Each structure stands twice: as structure tokens, then as C-alpha cells.
Amino acid sequence: MLAPQNNKARSIYSLDGVWDFKLDEDDEGLDGFWMSNKLYAPRPIPVPSSFNEISFDIDAYREDNIVWYQRTLDIPERHTSDRIFLRLEHFSGALEIFIDDENVASLASSSTPYEIDITSKFTPGENSLLTIRLDARNLKDSDQFAYAGLDGNIMLVCVPDAYIEDIYFATVGFIPLATGGLDSAQARYEIVLSDEDTPVKLELKDFQGKVVAESDEAEGTLEIPRPTAWSPKLPYLYTLCVASGDDYYEQKVGLRQVAVFEDGLTLNQEPIRLSGFNYEAMVAGFGRALSDAQIIKDFELMRWMGANAIFSSKGALSEQFLNLADTYGMLVIETPDSFDETGVKNLLARDKNHPSLITLAYVPDEQNSFADFKNHVIEFDYANLPLAQLLSDKAALDDASNADLLIFSPDLSKLEELSIDGFVRLISKELTALSENTTKPVVVYNFTPQAHEGKRSYFEELGSEDFQVAVLAELGRIFDANAQITGEFINHFTDIKLSGQEDGQNSDCAALFTIERQAKTSAYTQRVRWYILSGKAL
């Protein structure tokens, strides 16, 4: 699946903006054929946004709503001979999508895009009615607040009738120079066309637009002389330009190889240590709908912290987030929405060409084992990424015998019954036991205690910022002394809103920043440690 693009052959028409919106408290909209006419007495709602974070109406604020969205579709008549797709980047809730009164799709909640071919469903140059029913009743699965709504970009994508369906690109290897640097790189590629008989021409260009490799085959290997590898220190991006018939597409790519050995994680054959946050997209007042400005601010905060990596433990990150991760040089570990074939395929279909994506992670799941997950990844992973598994118990360790990287998550509830010293000794003991059972590299996650903003305590009271600082300092000492640990992720980037709560004082506050992006005391102390680990000067 290619990201939407405006160029000489393709057009995008954004459907973002203010839509008509209506609650369906009694679930009567389908039987009442609300999709057949304009919604009666609607209220305005911004798209993208989480509707239950926008409204102060208690009925809309509930997390178990059925709601309806509506707007008109209208694109110029010149696209009559094009293929037209309705693209939804991500959404929280199950959807029924109607054009006029015809149901064109039924979709489950997803953090990866869906594209629906609606070429035959309406006529360019004429108005049609787009209506979406969103059912948020099954979103809640924890005590976290269940943001709901059309929280990603929505657009119409117009492409030529014979078009470029997909592009695959992966670095095969590097040949070093005896004097240092790189002599050449090899990258394999595949261009998928809707009409296989259409000729294809591709060029790989450097950042100045100079062609460094080219081919007229739809599949093959490119030899890139004197290449610049992509890394957090230098996130260098090339542009792969593909022309086929009337279609044209430009794909940003990076030359990088990631691998896992017994002594840790390597990027471009050099060891690398991960330092960063578990990232869940949310911002106060708007929910999961993050703008480019907000994402860039978050990356600037991470850069200020000395972080080089992001873990997404609850589904895929947005397309715009990954594009900026490529640009900033942030390393990303993602989990799919689900660990079955559909979840893995959807994630890799969108994210396969992002150099920032270095690992896919499996969280123990009742429906799918790690072996099932790995088989699905092998089938769809063009770049042969290493795989990680989150450990929760001994059974999970046994199941992860074929994982490349292990993610260790301590039991934070022990902090309530143990002193800081006792908790740190327990974690040290568990890590030692893990080392005795496996030599695989380990990433530590979910080890940060709660810290309510502004709560201070000379006695390092549980829940205070001083308690969080003390625990992180002691755990950092343990992590740094363990050569098996190749990375660490703070529980959350920002505090997380909990279900039924309307203020941040009762949030999950095991983060170093508030949801408004204000730094807690621990952010400053952790920043010093991460800079020391990276060898950079503050």
C-alpha cells in the first residue's frame, strides 16, 4: 500500500475539516436509514479528532457511543477516467461506510489505513453524500480512556486507470572501503503494477536530485556507489522515482540494515543501544488526532531528552509519525493491531519501506502464538526484520525461543509492598535469572513508577516526583551493569488519561511528561543519563 501523493500523475482531495455529526443513543440510525438523507439537526465535529474528547456533552463524552458522520463528496470532472479510492488513515471504532445509501465497506477499528475503491460508486463532477456510522461500544479493553472517532486523515485518492500498486525496497548489504566508509550498497526492489505489461522506469536519487542508480525492470537489485547509510546520527534519505505508463510515484527510502546477535542489536553492522519511550498518540483536548506540529514538538522533546527510539506497544503509529521518524532518525519498534495474518499484513503493507522501522514486537495473545506471528511476518516482510517478544511469565519465555529480541517488563505492583532498595534487588534478581535462561539481548520496558505532577516529598513518598527520580536512578545503575540489556523504554511518553476521569490528577502518570508536554523532575535526571550513554555532551 502506497502513501497518498500529489504529483503530475496523482491527486489527493482532503476530506478533513468540519463534518456533520449526530449521536445515535438508541441505535436507530440503520433502521431509520439515516444514510439516505442529510442528518437531522446535526452538530459540527472536526475530522480528524476523537469526538469524546471534543464534546462537553456528557452523552458524547461516554466511551460506548454509536455516532454518525456526514459530508458531501465532490471532485472535478477531469478524473472521470481515473481510479478513485476513499482512504481512511486510522479510526477508533467499527465503521459502516455509505455513499448515498449504498454500503461500500464495513471495517473494524484500525490504526493502519484502509483504501476502498469507489470508482463505480459516484461520478466525478457530481455531488454524492458520504455517511459513516461509527460504533465505539467495543473499544474499551482496560482502565485507559477509550478515545473514539475518525481520528486520522480522510481523503480521496485519484490515480491513472493503469497504476503503480506498490513498491518494495530493502537494503541487501554494504561493501566497506579499506580506508573507512562505504564503497557500495546493494538494495533489492519490486514494483507491483495493476497492469503487468506496462513498462516501468525507476531512478534512485540522492538528496540533491542526482541519479545514483536506475533500472527499467520491475524487479531486481540496485548497486549504489559511495552510499550514505541511514542512522539516528545521519538520517539520510534517498528518493526512489518510479514511472509506469501514465503513473508516477516517489518513495523516500533509507539504506540501512538491522540485525540481532548474542551481543546485542546492530544497525549497519555497528552495535546500538535503544533509549526512548513507549508512545501512544494523544494530546489534551483532541485525543488521538495529532497534527504535524504536535508530532514535531514530541520529536523535539525526545531529541532534547537524548532518546533515539520509540516503542509502540498498542498498535501501529500513524503514517505522518513514521515519515517524521525517518526524517529525525528515530528507531521504531511497532506492534500490529492484531497478531493474526490480517494485522501483520496491514502493518507491513504500509510500513515496510520506512527505514525507521527496525523491529516488530509480539505481545502474548490468546488467539495467536509467537510462532503464528512469526510465520505471518515471514510471509509479508520484504526486509527480513528481527522480531521481539514481550515477556510476561516463564511460559512466554519458552514461547519466545525463536524471538530475536526479548522485552522484559517488571511487576510494578511490587513497589507498593517493597522499599526502593527491595524493588531494585528484585528486578536485579529477575534479570539475573533471565540471563541464566537465555543469551538473547533484552530490552527493558514498563519500569517507571507513577509520579503525580508537582507532588514532592523529602521522604521519596510513593507517587511523588522524588520517588520516580530515585527509582529510575537505581534501576539505571542495574541496567548499565547488565551487558545483555540493549535498550530501555519508559512506560509512556506522556501521562495517560484513565476511563471516567476528566482531569490529569487521576491519570496513569508513569511518564516523564504530562499530557500537556510539561517535563517532570525525572525528565531532567533521565536526560543526563541518556546523554552519558550516547556519548554526547549536554
Side-chain angles (χ1 to χ4, degrees), residues 144 147 278 280-284 448-454 465 468 490-498 503-518 520 522:
Q144 288 188 13
Y147 293 104
N278 177 44
E280 295 185 49
M282 59 186 66
V283 63
T448 316
Q450 302 277 317
H452 297 283
E453 180 191 9
E465 291 193 28
Q468 188 181 65
I490 302 295
N491 300 28
H492 311 294
F493 177 62
T494 66
D495 292 345
I496 303 296
K497 185 176 178 179
L498 297 179
D503 60 73
Q505 294 302 309
N506 294 305
S507 63
D508 177 349
C509 51
L512 308 192
F513 295 91
T514 68
I515 198 167
E516 291 83 12
R517 275 57 175 175
Q518 296 301 308
K520 300 178 188 176
S522 51

Side-chain angles (χ1 to χ4, degrees), residues 348-396:
L348 287 172
R350 189 197 66 177
D351 298 345
K352 57 187 177 295
N353 294 322
H354 286 284
S356 54
L357 179 62
I358 60 166
T359 303
L360 298 182
Y362 167 81
V363 179
D365 176 81
E366 293 181 359
Q367 285 75 40
N368 304 275
S369 67
F370 178 83
D372 296 329
F373 168 66
K374 183 174 183 177
N375 287 336
H376 298 321
V377 173
I378 289 172
E379 183 176 355
F380 301 112
D381 181 16
Y382 193 76
N384 193 30
L385 294 172
L387 301 180
Q389 173 165 337
L390 181 67
L391 300 177
S392 57
D393 51 33
K394 180 62 166 60

Side-chain angles (χ1 to χ4, degrees), residues 383-435:
N384 193 30
L385 294 172
L387 301 180
Q389 173 165 337
L390 181 67
L391 300 177
S392 57
D393 51 33
K394 180 62 166 60
L397 179 59
D398 292 339
D399 188 37
S401 58
N402 291 319
D404 301 296
L405 189 68
L406 304 179
I407 302 175
F408 171 74
S409 177
D411 183 0
L412 284 174
S413 66
K414 298 294 184 182
L415 275 170
E416 299 178 9
E417 55 190 76
L418 298 172
S419 65
I420 292 177
D421 288 344
F423 177 71
V424 171
R425 284 196 299 270
L426 175 64
I427 300 307
S428 180
K429 183 179 178 181
E430 290 179 347
L431 287 171
T432 299
L434 183 61
S435 299

Side-chain angles (χ1 to χ4, degrees), residues 455-468:
K455 183 177 181 180
R456 306 304 302 269
S457 169
Y458 288 111
F459 305 103
E460 296 172 349
E461 179 185 353
L462 187 71
S464 68
E465 291 193 28
D466 301 274
F467 183 84
Q468 188 181 65

